[in-house]
Amino acid sequence: MKPVWFGPKRFGWGASPASWEGWAVTGVFIVAMLLTGNLLRDLAWVWALMLAEIAILFVVVILTYDKNARTHV
């Protein structure tokens, strides 16, 4: 059985953290984005790293999303 770190949001579309691992991934993502934006000066590197961080988060959410959960309507 695969881990479920993210599940459907209560309202609207998207995913929401469903366990402490999901919240940890979300927190690391926010810290990484803030550090990237504040520590780097070259705008091309900032954009490249931020896009890579978004892609990594997207992959983690897809791999750990509860596909069997019912969405709330």
Side-chain angles (χ1 to χ4, degrees):
M1 186 169 145
K2 71 176 198 165
V4 175
W5 294 356
F6 292 91
K9 287 174 48 176
R10 192 160 248 178
F11 298 102
W13 295 342
S16 178
S19 69
W20 70 268
E21 293 97 342
W23 284 106
V25 169
T26 304
V28 168
F29 171 75
I30 291 170
V31 169
M33 292 291 276
L34 290 172
L35 289 175
T36 300
N38 288 325
L39 296 180
L40 295 179
R41 299 289 176 226
D42 185 10
L43 195 56
W45 276 105
V46 170
W47 278 103
L49 285 175
M50 285 189 172
L51 286 174
E53 292 164 2
I54 292 169
I56 291 169
L57 177 67
F58 190 67
V59 168
V60 170
V61 170
I62 288 174
L63 292 175
T64 61
Y65 186 79
D66 185 11
K67 294 175 181 67
N68 296 325
R70 294 191 54 155
T71 57
H72 304 280
V73 179

